[in-house]
Amino acid sequence: MRSVLPALALTLTLLPTLATAQDPGAVLVDFDQKRGGTENMTRLAHVENNPGAWKAADIELEQDPGRPFVYVSGFVNYNFFIYDLTNPSAPRELFQWTIEDPDLHRGIGAMDGKYFKTGGRYYYVQSFQFNPGSPDGDLGAVIFDVTGLPNPASVREVARIRYAASPGGFHNIFAYKHSTGRALLFSTIGGDRALIWDLDKIVSGAPEADWLVGNVPNPTPMRQMGASGYHDFYVGFDPATNTDKFYGAGLGGYSTWDVTDPAAPTLLFTITSLGMDLAHTFTPSPDGRYAVTETEYQYTPLRIWDLQDGQAGRTQNIDQPISAWTSDWRTLPHNHEVRWPYVFVSGYEDGLQVFNLKDPHNPESEGGFYTCNCEHGKGFGGSQETGWQGGPSVMQGAFGVDVRNHDGLVVISDMRTGLWTFRMAGFDGWNGRDHGVPNISSVQDWDRGPERSRPIP
Amino acid sequence: MLAGLLLLGGGGPYDILFLPTRAAPEARGTARLHYATSPFGVAVTAEGVARWTVRFTLEGLPPARSIGNAQGYVAWAASSDLREWDRLGTVTNGTATLGHVARNKFMVVVTAEQDTTTTMRRGPTVLSGISPSSWMQPLLTHALFRGIPPG
């Protein structure tokens, strides 16, 4: 019989090495220890914008250096706030607006806001969701002229967008500078499509019948729940094909459309697969090669996709992600902003999180800051009658995130705690060209339109 | 569209749960809809709209004068768009049956009024509730959309 001792000795020698190679990763932070942040993330300011348990939904930064304003949607408080971030360490409240008779309204209220510029004037559009049976059940958004900021007395309401055919309002909106120069607003509705509105017509006082200029059907509904509409989307220009593209999260999967002609969108490809339930957010890289997606259920990570075959027309459906990322497998990341190769995440209970996709197959965490400071699993749910508390839920904490391209300021809107401002070490701003990609992000060039094949100055 | 009945954690299809406002945060109450008196059992208008009396059960209303020097509380039925208001009558803590409401969807509102005989709502809202016919909600505003069972 051959001695087993040499083999045993060899195994014992290699055991530590093997154990390291199978390292499962960093130790998870206990829920009650989720305070503060990583060394490279500096918290500049924190403002509680609303009283009560629920303070904010989404957030929007203006991008012009001479207009340091941020807009915070007030969620179930049915209001929104405008802050001056001339000093990002000391946000100054400039303006607050609340729907009339808020006590008589029912619904989740002020959800998403976007700013846009057209005709030399600046506007802010606030989306609302009120229940059918509540006042303003057909109200989707209210548009304000904010050109005169920081003078709050100059802010004036210019229009309300209503859509009675699908009551319940607009959960998400996206303001887009189309390649034709038009300012368009894409909105979700409860129905089976996204709507496309002409902002120039709206703010110029054109007849309401002329406001709606197109729609994008949803080819990936969540059939098992009868959820036919989009939840969110991103619209961006594709310089490789000189087309405007719509990336939609359709609750049952994702789809990409050519919306160069808003009146006649063309489906390019879809992403459907197992686990795509509650497909929630879909953000491509600046060149459209990769994408980050979110599905809105606990434990699911953000998925990273290679869209090349879809973009090139070689496939009608993509069904395999190339990688995934999460900050804590026990929770849920929410929205995100891509500033390639960085992805800034509003990570619900995990606050602000940032990871990089320098190698899209191997996402790496960069840092973060806990903003929720909340009890795990006691998130948003239930109904208005129960104070929006129901069964176990991780939907609380960082709801929205935005990045200011000219100086790298990062902001978070936290459902529980309000407005936060941050700086990440080494991130002093973003221009895609510095990273070998088109200078395309959710930020719109409202003066010149999307970047085409312009020579680099 | 999903029924909102589950969201309310109880109560039947004729019950209205009131939400208090900051003017009277301790106020509580419910209302139950009863078909108005009719020889036919189910009371409807000539247009076929159900006609109700409303039985209020309220508690926690503070002294009215503590709210802007009001003299009492008045209950109203309002159309969903708040454009039309029908006075139902005065209410206090306890029970009261008032009528009539003849709308498909409506809100029931209690305000604190300086003149309790007023036929126009002027005072602050202290309680509000929506009719059971208004419970059906789009999925995107529904808690179930967030992947959690209600209640």
Side-chain angles (χ1 to χ4, degrees), chain A residues 104 106 131-132 135 227 392 395, chain B residues 80 107 128 137 139 145-146 148:
Chain A
L104 299 181
R106 296 290 188 274
N131 300 345
M395 282 112 189
Chain B
S80 296
M107 300 192 74
S128 70
Q137 299 305 328
L139 184 69
F145 164 71
R146 293 168 175 81
I148 50 166

Side-chain angles (χ1 to χ4, degrees), chain B residues 47-67:
Chain B
E47 292 75 28
V49 177
R51 195 159 169 265
W52 310 98
T53 58
V54 185
R55 180 172 174 82
F56 292 80
T57 303
L58 306 177
E59 62 181 14
L61 288 170
R65 59 182 175 278
S66 68
I67 304 176

